[in-house]
Amino acid sequence: MMRSRLQVCVLGLMMLWVHCENPSSLSGAYLDGDVNCAIMSSIHSRVIDLHKRTKPQPFVCSGFALTAFLQSLSAIYTIEEINNSTLLPGIKLGYEVCDPCASPTKALHCLEHLLAVNGSLPALMDYTDFRPPIKALLGEQYSELSIAMAKLLSLYLVPQVSCYSSSPVLSDKLRYPSFMRVIPSDIYQALALVKLMSHFSWNWVGVVYGDDDYGRAAFQSFMQQSEGKICADFEKVLPHYLDHVDIDKHIKEVAQTIRNSKAKVMLLILKPELVEKLFKEMIQTNTNKIWIASDAWSVHRYLMKMKDINKVGKIFGFSFSMGITPGFEDYLKNLRPTPGARNDFIEEYKQLRLNCSLSPSTCAVEDMLHTVDLREAYRERAAIYAFAHGLRALLKCNETACSGDTNFPPWQLLESMRSVNFTLDGKTYFFDENGDFADGYDLIMWKENNDERIIEVVGKFLLKNQKVEIFSQFQWLNNNISTSKCSDPCRPGTVKNQSEISCCYSCMECPEGKYTDEQDMPKCLDCPKDMWSNKGDHECSKFQEKYLEWTASYPIALLAATAIGLVLVLTSLIIFCVHRNTIVIKKADNTMSCFMLLGLTVSFVSVIMFIGKPNWHLCRAQQAVYGLGFTLCVSCILVKAFRTFLAFMAFDPHNQHRLKKLYKPLINLVLLTGGQGIILLFWLVFKSPFPDLKWPRTGMLKYIVCDEGTIVGFAVMHGYIALLAFICFFLAFKGRKVPNDFNDTGVIIFSMLIHLFVWLCFIPIYIDRNQTDQRHIVQASAILASNYGIIFCHFLPKCYIVLWELSENSRATILSRLSQQCRNMPS
């Protein structure tokens, strides 16, 4: 029941809001003066059924706009203040207020009325002496209306001063020569918005703008200023007229787009009424974003008092520099027309207030002071004073009187106003070459205050330095505002890989040797000399030196293998010495076997020299000790193979006799090993191995290894051993069919094959420059493999026979087997 009554009350009161124009007079407020100024203010926010208008009938307006009403009162109050001052001595300023109801068409109708002489607007060839009743015009709030009026006023060069129309096109003095404004152009607002977004790292935003001259121009300016810096996730446009037949449908579509957007920041270049409708949709769905307000609604108090306004999220915006008009608050508390003046809007407001047509908070005049921010009306004060100072210069006023003619053509006042430079409330104002005030903007934040919002100025944007400055007491904002980016920041160590959209990118790790130490860097930096980085590192570091440390796993394995090898060598030596008189040991040539064990011992010792940090002495000793030791061992095998070869060359006694002259075991051993000694001597003298840092061109490790000095010496040393091994293999292979009991050819062939195979595998790794760090490991392993090949082929089988088959080790048994084999041989 209460709800029904309330609805009836609201419907009834809405009808009282409707303002029908009086056909006899379009002026809602009037005061006659010596010089009159027109005031254009959309005190009503819409024309009813404008889209259905098919006849040029009177306009019917609705929606009483408190802010516009307050701004018109500020202009009237300032005119009355000047009339009570000595700024224009002897001159009374008058005014005439016309309400265009936010319609460009009705604005032109107002102009026709205001400029009419004797009830009609004359059509002349020359308007130089055209003297309309109004000499200047203040307005309008909306750029679309100001542009429409400026086109007509430019014909007569009637000065037009706007307090809120910020469209950049109005700075074009060729198209709008009589237009001026006491605010900067939207070019600077767009720049300020871009600077604000850059300051808070917002490069991915949604944009919604109105389908009017102001919205389109502001949007275009923003896109131009933001090119390459800020990108729009989406761009949506809303009809400017509130009575548009599909306005609610468009609002819902835009609201859905905002909800689906990944952008956290929304820029709204809209009139307040459209923002209100959009916020209602956001509140219903608990959509929380960061909102950036254009100057059209950034200080709109009614929006700040919306129900659940705190649910929409943080709101920032720029407002034109605001101020307090002295005495204006007291004027509003005692609101009534000046004696001799008429103001139908005051009467309408009081009637609406008394009938509760406005919100409950505005049911008394004092409450209006809390509903609308009085600072919003300060620009009217500056505009009227600009008009007054231009008039003072034109009329040649001094402190006591004005000598000029008050019935002047408006173009003369235009010239005078363009050059004004005056101080008001401690600030200096003047128009630049484009007819704009070029001071700057206040950066405001809508601060939560219980269930509503209040304006808090948190910074400034000054045109002279074109930089957003956050006041010191609000520096906490820099670290408490969410970022809105198309792509997540690229961490240090990665670089941006730009996509087709300038604000979007993927992150790629920097390659080795390059780094980034900050987020979102466009390219990787080169590491300084003697420093390096791994892939994806955020800094460069000094190289780490690495070598085969004694405590590392592989060196321990090498030491264990070497120790086992030396134990086997020592065990074999003991067994061979103890059982030197057995036929098996004698057949194996105990002397040569002992020299072989000596060579193996030296070769095993060389493996130990590969462990630890290399130095000059170790690098030389590694190759020399191994070369001599293993050459001694292979030389012994060669002597044994040669002996076996000679013993069974009975088929060719002549050659056998000649070759026997060469068989001098100890001399052969000395000569063969001495050859390697000469090779090593030349190598060590002319270009010996030395410790060197090797870097495989990747990674942070540089390996301290022994450089061979010259590949020739290294190759000749190993080639010499390989040659001896091949000769051993050849001789053993030739004598492979001799009786087994006297035949070592099998073990010689097999041991030499092991050696040759191991070192053939070593060559590719050695040649590969990327395996620098592995060379010493592979060489040590190859030495062990060759040594163990000889031990397992030449010594362990004989030790086994000696220890576990002594009963078989008698000469009689062996000769018996030999005789049996000889009888079985074909004659």
Side-chain angles (χ1 to χ4, degrees):
M1 185 70 177
M2 288 292 295
R3 183 176 179 181
S4 299
R5 289 179 178 176
L6 180 61
Q7 289 176 338
V8 171
C9 178
V10 170
L11 288 172
L13 294 178
M14 285 179 64
M15 295 181 66
L16 290 175
W17 289 359
V18 176
H19 170 74
C20 299
E21 40 174 72
N22 183 353
S24 61
S25 175
L26 292 177
S27 300
Y30 179 78
L31 175 66
D32 189 29
D34 300 318
V35 179
N36 291 334
C37 171
I39 300 173
M40 297 281 279
S41 183
S42 293
I43 297 174
H44 294 85
S45 59
R46 65 174 64 90
V47 176
I48 296 178
D49 294 333
L50 182 63
H51 60 287
K52 297 180 181 179
R53 188 170 183 264
T54 57
K55 297 179 182 180
Q57 296 173 332
F59 296 94
V60 180
C61 300
S62 66
F64 196 85
L66 275 179
T67 300
F69 175 56
L70 178 74
Q71 291 163 351
S72 68
L73 292 178
S74 175
I76 292 173
Y77 171 77
T78 303
I79 289 174
E80 294 176 357
E81 180 183 72
I82 292 173
N83 286 339
N84 294 325
S85 71
T86 58
L87 182 61
L88 295 172
I91 301 296
K92 178 184 178 183
L93 295 180
Y95 58 82
E96 190 168 357
V97 182
C98 190
D99 181 5
C101 303
S103 167
T105 307
K106 191 172 186 304
L108 293 177
H109 191 198
C110 284
L111 277 186
E112 182 184 37
H113 164 73
L114 294 169
L115 297 174
V117 178
N118 297 322
S120 64
L121 188 61
L124 305 175
M125 291 292 294
D126 183 359
Y127 288 98
T128 304
D129 200 38
F130 176 58
R131 302 170 190 258
I134 60 110
K135 305 301 182 183
L137 183 141
L138 176 66
E140 221 282 327
Q141 176 180 357
Y142 301 113
S143 292
E144 185 176 25
L145 275 67
S146 291
I147 290 172
M149 294 189 298
K151 289 178 179 178
L152 181 59
L153 292 174
S154 294
L155 174 64
Y156 312 109
L157 293 182
V158 176
Q160 176 188 2
V161 183
S162 174
C163 300
Y164 304 98
S165 297
S166 53
S167 175
V169 299
L170 290 167
S171 294
D172 187 348
K173 295 302 104 177
L174 290 176
R175 297 166 63 187
Y176 309 106
S178 64
F179 181 83
M180 294 175 285
R181 52 188 165 196
V182 292
I183 56 171
S185 164
D186 262 344
I187 290 178
Y188 298 108
Q189 181 183 207
L191 178 61
L193 291 171
V194 171
K195 293 290 186 179
L196 173 66
M197 293 175 182
S198 299
H199 181 84
F200 287 121
S201 299
W202 299 329
N203 71 355
W204 194 240
V205 302
V207 183
V208 185
Y209 62 97
D211 187 20
D212 61 334
D213 290 335
Y214 164 74
R216 289 189 295 269
F219 170 72
Q220 291 172 2
S221 295
F222 171 74
M223 296 306 292
Q224 290 172 1
Q225 293 287 347
S226 65
E227 186 174 0
K229 305 170 187 173
I230 313 295
C231 301
D233 183 22
F234 65 86
E235 303 158 9
K236 288 292 184 178
V237 60
L238 285 174
H240 175 67
Y241 296 111
L242 300 178
D243 263 1
H244 191 281
V245 64
D246 292 326
I247 186 65
D248 291 333
K249 176 184 175 182
H250 286 291
I251 289 290
K252 290 183 181 295
E253 290 177 354
V254 170
Q256 186 62 36
T257 301
I258 291 175
R259 283 191 289 268
N260 295 336
S261 173
K262 293 183 179 179
K264 299 178 182 178
V265 176
M266 300 294 149
L267 171 61
L268 303 183
I269 309 173
L270 301 170
K271 63 195 309 183
E273 293 82 1
L274 292 175
V275 176
E276 179 186 4
K277 289 179 177 290
L278 189 58
F279 275 0
K280 286 180 179 179
E281 289 290 328
M282 298 294 100
I283 291 170
Q284 287 178 3
T285 55
N286 289 318
T287 302
N288 188 290
K289 298 283 185 179
I290 297 174
W291 306 92
I292 307 298
S294 66
D295 57 68
W297 65 275
S298 60
V299 291
H300 201 273
R301 182 62 68 89
Y302 179 74
L303 291 175
M304 299 178 192
K305 293 182 174 293
M306 281 183 64
K307 183 180 178 181
D308 294 326
I309 185 64
N310 291 334
K311 292 183 178 180
V312 300
K314 291 182 172 61
I315 301 176
F316 292 90
F318 287 103
S319 71
F320 308 118
S321 297
M322 299 183 295
I324 299 297
T325 301
F328 186 46
E329 184 175 353
D330 293 334
Y331 170 80
L332 295 177
K333 290 179 180 179
N334 300 283
L335 187 59
R336 60 179 180 274
T338 304
R342 172 176 60 85
N343 197 321
D344 298 335
F345 300 116
I346 292 178
E347 298 304 318
E348 180 184 2
Y349 166 69
K350 289 183 176 181
Q351 185 64 38
L352 291 170
R353 175 178 56 81
L354 293 174
N355 288 280
C356 202
S357 290
L358 303 178
S359 60
S361 62
T362 59
C363 286
V365 172
E366 288 78 11
D367 290 336
M368 185 182 70
L369 300 177
H370 303 288
T371 303
V372 183
D373 194 333
L374 300 186
R375 294 176 295 177
E376 294 183 51
Y378 185 79
R379 287 286 165 177
E380 280 73 14
R381 174 178 173 82
I384 294 297
Y385 266 95
F387 165 62
H389 279 278
L391 192 60
R392 177 182 173 90
L394 177 63
L395 298 182
K396 299 180 178 59
C397 299
N398 54 31
E399 299 301 320
T400 58
C402 296
S403 59
D405 183 8
T406 57
N407 188 22
F408 52 85
W411 61 267
Q412 294 181 354
L413 178 60
L414 176 62
E415 290 184 349
S416 179
M417 288 182 64
R418 282 176 176 170
S419 59
V420 296
N421 190 318
F422 62 95
T423 300
L424 178 65
D425 301 327
K427 291 187 66 176
T428 301
Y429 296 96
F430 60 91
F431 295 104
D432 63 14
E433 65 276 7
N434 296 319
D436 304 333
F437 273 13
D439 47 358
Y441 301 92
D442 289 332
L443 173 60
I444 62 172
M445 177 180 70
W446 287 24
K447 180 182 177 182
E448 293 185 10
N449 183 35
N450 298 323
D451 294 333
E452 59 184 47
R453 300 286 183 100
I454 58 174
I455 291 176
E456 191 159 40
V457 179
V458 297
K460 292 191 74 68
F461 178 80
L462 298 178
L463 302 189
K464 60 183 179 181
N465 58 13
Q466 298 186 354
K467 182 180 178 181
V468 171
E469 297 179 359
I470 306 295
F471 296 149
S472 58
Q473 63 269 35
F474 299 104
Q475 288 297 319
W476 56 268
L477 285 171
N478 295 326
N479 301 318
N480 288 272
I481 300 296
S482 300
T483 59
S484 181
K485 294 188 174 183
C486 175
S487 305
D488 292 332
C490 288
R491 63 170 178 80
T494 60
V495 66
K496 294 196 296 186
N497 181 26
Q498 195 66 51
S499 70
E500 293 181 358
I501 303 174
S502 62
C503 301
C504 303
Y505 49 83
S506 58
C507 299
M508 295 180 61
E509 290 186 334
C510 290
E512 289 190 26
K514 295 180 180 291
Y515 74 102
T516 55
D517 54 3
E518 296 179 4
Q519 287 187 348
D520 290 339
M521 292 188 67
K523 65 177 182 178
C524 297
L525 307 175
D526 292 325
C527 284
K529 186 179 180 181
D530 297 328
M531 300 185 76
W532 199 250
S533 66
N534 288 319
K535 184 178 181 180
D537 277 358
H538 67 278
E539 63 180 359
C540 297
S541 305
K542 291 184 177 180
F543 287 100
Q544 299 176 14
E545 295 182 354
K546 187 176 181 180
Y547 51 87
L548 286 180
E549 298 180 4
W550 293 94
T551 56
S553 57
Y554 195 80
I556 291 175
L558 288 178
L559 288 172
T562 300
I564 294 171
L566 289 173
V567 169
L568 292 176
V569 168
L570 180 61
T571 302
S572 300
L573 178 63
I574 293 172
I575 292 173
F576 270 57
C577 289
V578 171
H579 299 282
R580 62 184 176 276
N581 294 321
T582 63
I583 190 67
V584 174
I585 302 302
K586 288 181 178 180
K587 183 187 68 171
D589 192 340
N590 190 38
T591 302
M592 288 296 107
S593 296
C594 289
F595 278 115
M596 284 177 65
L597 290 173
L598 175 62
L600 287 174
T601 302
V602 174
S603 183
F604 273 119
V605 170
S606 71
V607 174
I608 301 175
M609 297 178 179
F610 284 89
I611 303 172
K613 188 174 183 179
N615 55 48
W616 282 91
H617 302 296
L618 276 178
C619 289
R620 292 175 176 178
Q622 282 177 3
Q623 305 300 336
V625 171
Y626 163 70
L628 289 174
F630 203 76
T631 300
L632 175 62
C633 183
V634 176
S635 297
C636 292
I637 296 173
L638 179 56
V639 170
K640 294 170 69 174
F642 188 54
R643 183 195 68 180
T644 304
F645 181 76
L646 288 176
F648 294 93
M649 283 191 65
F651 61 89
D652 191 355
H654 178 70
N655 286 333
Q656 184 186 46
H657 179 72
R658 283 196 309 165
L659 290 174
K660 275 185 177 180
K661 295 179 180 180
L662 298 177
Y663 181 66
K664 306 293 182 183
L666 292 178
I667 296 175
N668 295 148
L669 193 63
V670 171
L671 291 176
L672 292 173
T673 307
Q676 183 71 284
I678 293 172
I679 293 171
L680 292 171
L681 180 63
F682 275 94
W683 184 14
L684 295 178
V685 169
F686 290 102
K687 201 166 185 181
S688 66
F690 59 92
D692 189 23
L693 277 175
K694 298 291 186 180
W695 180 45
R697 305 303 301 175
T698 183
M700 296 296 301
L701 298 177
K702 281 191 173 182
Y703 297 89
I704 305 178
V705 296
C706 289
D707 189 283
E708 61 274 4
T710 171
I711 191 66
V712 175
F714 186 84
V716 171
M717 180 195 78
H718 283 277
Y720 184 77
I721 296 175
L723 177 62
L724 296 181
F726 181 76
I727 294 174
C728 291
F729 172 82
F730 177 78
L731 294 176
F733 186 80
K734 281 290 187 179
R736 69 187 184 280
K737 293 183 179 180
V738 298
N740 291 333
D741 282 338
F742 288 92
N743 187 8
D744 268 350
T745 57
V747 295
I748 293 173
I749 290 172
F750 194 65
S751 63
M752 292 302 99
L753 282 177
I754 292 175
H755 171 75
L756 292 173
F757 177 76
V758 167
W759 288 97
L760 282 174
C761 293
F762 167 74
I763 291 174
I765 297 176
Y766 188 85
I767 294 175
D768 188 358
R769 291 292 174 182
N770 293 325
Q771 299 293 332
T772 302
D773 58 312
Q774 302 295 323
R775 288 181 182 175
H776 53 303
I777 296 176
V778 174
Q779 186 177 2
S781 301
I783 293 172
L784 288 174
S786 298
N787 290 352
Y788 272 104
I790 292 176
I791 290 174
F792 280 104
C793 290
H794 287 266
F795 294 99
L796 291 187
K798 292 179 176 58
C799 292
Y800 174 79
I801 293 172
V802 168
L803 295 177
W804 281 280
E805 297 185 12
L806 289 177
S807 60
E808 299 293 326
N809 289 345
S810 65
R811 185 174 182 82
T813 303
I814 294 174
L815 291 176
S816 175
R817 290 181 180 178
L818 180 61
S819 299
Q820 185 178 0
Q821 290 174 359
C822 290
R823 287 194 297 271
N824 293 332
M825 290 179 65
S827 57

